[in-house]
Amino acid sequence: MREYQKDFYAGFLPLQDIEHRKFKTDKISFILTKTMLHNPQGICLDTGCSNGIITRSMAELFASVVGVDIDMTAMRLIDPRENPAVSYVYGDAME
């Protein structure tokens, strides 16, 4: 099993590239919208939410969204007041 990467954000530059994250966000939103594989009244769990960019974008598609990550470096970049439909949990998703 791979070791936890509690400071993954600091060492993986693509996570820090806002435009790259927005591109991924657009792809995910497009696929969910076109395939109708999501429940607009449901809850989305974003495991490994990192800095929350993709998590926040999912609020447009779901009634509420929860992001969870073990990387506090990335999570410190999140403003939890930004969207009341989105909440964040620091923790181990394996627990």
Side-chain angles (χ1 to χ4, degrees):
M1 177 185 268
R2 201 162 121 182
E3 292 293 320
Y4 287 123
Q5 296 174 323
K6 293 186 177 184
D7 197 20
F8 187 69
Y9 182 85
F12 190 65
L13 295 181
L15 284 179
Q16 299 175 34
D17 182 346
I18 302 301
E19 292 305 313
H20 177 73
R21 300 307 288 167
K22 287 181 180 176
F23 176 74
K24 282 192 169 282
T25 294
D26 291 344
K27 282 181 17 179
I28 294 167
S29 295
F30 178 81
I31 291 167
L32 287 174
T33 302
K34 292 296 181 186
T35 60
M36 307 273 299
L37 289 175
H38 70 289
N39 177 355
Q41 287 79 41
I43 300 170
C44 174
L45 174 62
D46 183 3
T47 306
C49 69
S50 187
N51 59 1
I53 291 173
I54 293 174
T55 313
R56 286 189 300 275
S57 74
M58 293 297 105
E60 298 171 16
L61 299 173
F62 294 91
S64 64
V65 181
V66 177
V68 61
D69 207 306
I70 199 166
D71 184 347
M72 187 52 78
T73 301
M75 293 195 78
R76 283 189 179 111
L77 301 171
I78 297 170
D79 181 356
R81 301 167 297 179
E82 197 168 292
N83 187 329
V86 180
S87 57
Y88 298 93
V89 177
Y90 171 75
D92 182 350
M94 300 298 288
E95 295 291 323

